[in-house]
Amino acid sequence: MLASAQLDVTVQVAVVAVPVAMYFLLLGLFNSQRTPQLLPARRDFILLVAAFLPVLVMPALNYVGVSAWTVVLATGGACLAAVLAAPRGSGQWVIYNIQSPEALRACERSLQSMGLGFVRCGRRLRLEGMDAELRLWAMPLLRNVSLSVGGPDAGRILPEFQHRLAGQLGLMPTQATPMALAFVLIATVMLVAPLGMVADRMPEMVRLITNLVH
């Protein structure tokens, strides 16, 4: 039975697995679009934290016991830490459904359309005539590329560059990859299995939630 001081192991598995499954589902959807998807780095970080927040909160709840106050404090503390760790300011994005060479070419074409010169050095593009540069680094497993524009003069180009880059990405047709399908399948399994495990425990979960809020 579910105790008021500690969550049942079955429920813990469901609470942890469902948000992670939703994150994998989003990855599958991002990587199934017809064109690459551009997300601000802060929003991407928030999605990641939201998916794995229960993994951070659950051990604390098991240690101190489950109550309305401990849930609020543990969740609030984890959210505060996430906010402090999240990327700040503009000039940072994550591009999904793309490989590093394609992302680099899209950045180059965006700068060229703005009439800006640059020098390419690996995965960096240093702008000529101003103190700013673009940096890219890839995560092939997730099929995404992170992009940042830094330097004292970066603010001069950010709004237009983002607009031009979004336009360039919109012109790049892509195809769904086996990895995108794998993400969707993983998400489906992670959603179905925990829900099946807790289906017969719903009355107990309702009673637990009722006890927490009263």
Side-chain angles (χ1 to χ4, degrees):
M1 244 179 124
L2 288 175
S4 60
Q6 189 173 30
L7 289 173
D8 183 89
V9 174
T10 302
V11 178
Q12 292 184 48
V13 172
V15 170
V16 171
V18 170
V20 176
M22 295 303 298
Y23 181 71
F24 276 107
L25 181 60
L26 284 175
L27 290 179
L29 294 176
F30 287 151
N31 286 308
S32 300
Q33 300 301 305
R34 295 182 178 180
T35 59
Q37 302 297 298
L38 181 67
L39 271 72
R42 188 174 184 85
R43 187 181 306 172
D44 181 76
F45 184 83
I46 290 173
L47 290 175
L48 178 63
V49 170
F52 291 93
L53 184 62
V55 179
L56 303 176
V57 172
M58 197 61 65
L61 293 180
N62 282 332
Y63 181 76
V64 301
V66 179
S67 69
W69 282 109
T70 56
V71 170
V72 170
L73 290 175
T75 304
C79 290
L80 178 60
V83 170
L84 294 176
R88 299 186 180 186
S90 55
Q92 300 181 70
W93 303 273
V94 179
I95 311 174
Y96 281 93
N97 201 18
I98 199 170
Q99 298 291 346
S100 182
E102 299 168 333
L104 192 57
R105 286 194 294 270
C107 290
E108 291 175 339
R109 288 194 293 266
S110 299
L111 294 174
Q112 290 168 351
S113 69
M114 297 168 61
L116 297 176
F118 56 86
V119 176
R120 178 177 174 180
C121 181
R123 294 180 180 175
R124 294 188 301 168
L125 300 175
R126 182 174 295 278
L127 301 187
E128 296 178 339
M130 63 177 66
D131 190 358
E133 72 173 12
L134 283 69
R135 295 186 179 183
L136 297 90
W137 56 98
M139 294 188 66
L141 180 62
L142 300 182
R143 194 174 166 77
N144 68 28
V145 175
S146 296
L147 165 67
S148 68
V149 182
D153 296 330
R156 294 168 50 186
I157 68 167
L158 285 180
E160 184 177 359
F161 174 76
Q162 181 176 0
H163 174 73
R164 302 276 182 147
L165 178 60
Q168 290 292 332
L169 295 176
L171 298 174
M172 299 174 60
T174 61
Q175 295 181 344
T177 64
M179 184 59 67
L181 178 60
F183 284 140
V184 174
L185 290 176
I186 292 172
T188 302
V189 172
M190 293 185 69
L191 284 172
V192 171
L195 293 178
M197 292 170 61
V198 301
D200 60 343
R201 312 297 296 275
M202 291 304 297
E204 297 176 59
M205 293 177 63
V206 172
R207 286 198 297 270
L208 175 61
I209 295 173
T210 302
N211 293 335
L212 288 176
V213 299
H214 285 84

